[in-house]
Amino acid sequence: LTLLGTSLGAAQAPVQQNPPQSAPPAKATREHRITAEEAKELLGAVDTILKFDSEHSQLPILHPIKRQLVDRDEVEKYVETHLREDESAQRLRQGAVVLKKFGLLPRDFDLENFLVELLREQVAGYYDAKTKTVNLLDWLPPGVQLPVMAHELTHALQDQNFGLEKWTKAAEPRKKDDPGEEIASDEELAAREAIIEGQAMAVMIDYVLAPLGGSTVDSPLIVQAIQHGMLETPGSTVFRSAPAYLRGALLFPYDYGLTFIRELLLKGGKERAYAGVFQD
């Protein structure tokens, strides 16, 4: 799940203000729903953006991408299931005791509930590697979701070419309950996640800047502004309320991953920065 709501401002719906007392409650809580025409436009854009992503990452399209619209209930169900099944999240929850001992988390901090609320707030579309499907939201206008799609379809190309689940699991410890193995595994997993998300961030920025003739490589100030803005995006109430340690850990793959991939692009080109880093 990407925290794209913290970058570019593209993934966040406008924050609804409290209505005046005279406003009818039904209208105050009404939410935009994508029309049939908007849905057709959004789902049809998948192939165009996938082609863009392939050209800019040089990761070939091996087969068409399944796509679907999902509502809030489906997203919340996915988030909760993801957190129950995801081994990284489970290990993070188990590590909460240690983090509290070192004062990195408050002693009464409910990490599991925080992660659920965070993903509910930040999710702006996602690629599911199990079903090979890109999931788009039925309550955000197409124009808001297109940069998100550029990010998520990069994950689809990574998956087609290298198998994301298998590639990520290569970081798992070889010996269970071995502290040394666990530490090394955590470090390698963080690095692999930074590669996955850093590539997707770079392609997304290329997509956003393409109409202006810019790119991740030749627009360093814009890249820096995006990275700085990850910490200050309005509307990210849950994220901003998190302890500093968690904010840093959650942003690491997007922030440092983007910096790493940009350095590879500058020094080795697209082949080195995308397929090359997966192969090596």
Side-chain angles (χ1 to χ4, degrees), residues 91 171 173 181-191:
R91 290 169 69 183
E181 289 280 346
E182 291 284 345
I183 292 171
S185 173
D186 285 343
E187 294 296 305
E188 185 174 347
L189 180 61

Side-chain angles (χ1 to χ4, degrees), residues 111-159:
L111 182 57
E112 183 170 359
N113 182 65
F114 166 80
L115 291 173
V116 171
E117 293 301 318
L118 177 74
L119 291 175
R120 283 175 177 166
E121 174 185 82
Q122 296 292 331
V123 67
Y126 55 95
Y127 172 74
D128 188 342
K130 291 185 182 297
T131 63
K132 312 298 182 186
T133 302
V134 63
N135 296 271
L136 306 167
L137 311 184
D138 75 349
W139 67 89
L140 292 182
V144 176
Q145 297 195 62
L146 296 182
V148 180
M149 196 188 303
H151 184 114
E152 296 305 317
L153 290 176
T154 304
H155 292 325
L157 291 172
Q158 293 166 335
D159 193 32

Side-chain angles (χ1 to χ4, degrees), residues 2 40 62 66 78 81 91 98 105 124-125 187 191 231 250 256:
T2 62
K40 183 178 179 181
L62 302 184
K66 293 186 288 184
Y78 177 83
T81 301
R91 290 169 69 183
V98 177
L105 293 180
E187 294 296 305
L231 293 171
L250 290 164
Y256 287 86

Side-chain angles (χ1 to χ4, degrees), residues 29 69 99 105 109 120 124 130 134 150 160 164 177 179 196-198 201 230 234 241 247 251 264 274:
T29 59
L69 285 173
L99 297 177
L105 293 180
F109 189 79
R120 283 175 177 166
K130 291 185 182 297
V134 63
Q160 285 188 13
L164 283 182
D177 301 321
I196 292 169
E197 298 301 344
M201 288 293 294
M230 289 179 182
S241 70
R247 293 200 304 272
L251 287 181
L264 290 179
Y274 291 100

Side-chain angles (χ1 to χ4, degrees), residues 32-257:
H32 174 81
R33 280 290 184 272
I34 285 183
T35 65
E37 185 175 345
E38 288 176 325
K40 183 178 179 181
E41 175 190 349
L42 183 62
L43 295 173
V46 170
D47 297 319
T48 301
I49 296 179
L50 182 65
K51 183 179 179 181
F52 176 95
D53 286 5
S54 179
E55 291 172 352
H56 281 256
S57 67
Q58 296 185 354
L59 298 176
I61 302 171
L62 302 184
H63 53 75
I65 297 294
K66 293 186 288 184
R67 74 289 309 260
Q68 66 177 2
L69 285 173
V70 292
D71 60 25
R72 285 192 184 275
D73 290 340
E74 291 173 292
V75 169
E76 290 189 8
K77 182 179 178 181
Y78 177 83
V79 166
E80 291 171 356
T81 301
H82 178 78
L83 285 177
R84 284 198 302 269
E85 295 179 351
D86 185 81
E87 292 185 8
S88 298
Q90 290 175 9
R91 290 169 69 183
L92 182 59
R93 288 197 296 269
Q94 292 165 0
V97 173
V98 177
L99 297 177
K100 290 177 181 181
K101 288 283 188 180
F102 280 97
L104 296 173
L105 293 180
R107 289 185 176 274
D108 60 350
F109 189 79
D110 186 338
L111 182 57
E112 183 170 359
N113 182 65
F114 166 80
L115 291 173
V116 171
E117 293 301 318
L118 177 74
L119 291 175
R120 283 175 177 166
E121 174 185 82
Q122 296 292 331
V123 67
Y126 55 95
Y127 172 74
D128 188 342
K130 291 185 182 297
T131 63
K132 312 298 182 186
T133 302
V134 63
N135 296 271
L136 306 167
L137 311 184
D138 75 349
W139 67 89
L140 292 182
V144 176
Q145 297 195 62
L146 296 182
V148 180
M149 196 188 303
H151 184 114
E152 296 305 317
L153 290 176
T154 304
H155 292 325
L157 291 172
Q158 293 166 335
D159 193 32
Q160 285 188 13
N161 286 273
F162 299 102
L164 283 182
E165 288 191 320
K166 180 180 179 181
W167 191 77
T168 304
K169 284 185 177 180
E172 290 182 356
R174 290 178 292 275
K175 297 179 181 178
K176 299 294 183 181
D177 301 321
D178 182 321
E181 289 280 346
E182 291 284 345
I183 292 171
S185 173
D186 285 343
E187 294 296 305
E188 185 174 347
L189 180 61
R192 286 174 183 258
E193 289 178 345
I195 288 167
I196 292 169
E197 298 301 344
Q199 289 184 353
M201 288 293 294
V203 174
M204 183 184 72
I205 294 171
D206 284 347
Y207 176 80
V208 172
L209 296 180
L212 306 175
S215 71
T216 301
V217 169
D218 58 24
S219 305
L221 295 181
I222 293 178
V223 171
Q224 290 173 17
I226 290 170
Q227 290 172 308
H228 181 70
M230 289 179 182
L231 293 171
E232 299 182 354
T233 302
S236 300
T237 306
V238 177
F239 178 79
R240 292 203 313 272
S241 70
Y245 171 84
L246 275 185
R247 293 200 304 272
L250 290 164
L251 287 181
F252 177 84
Y254 303 90
D255 185 0
Y256 287 86

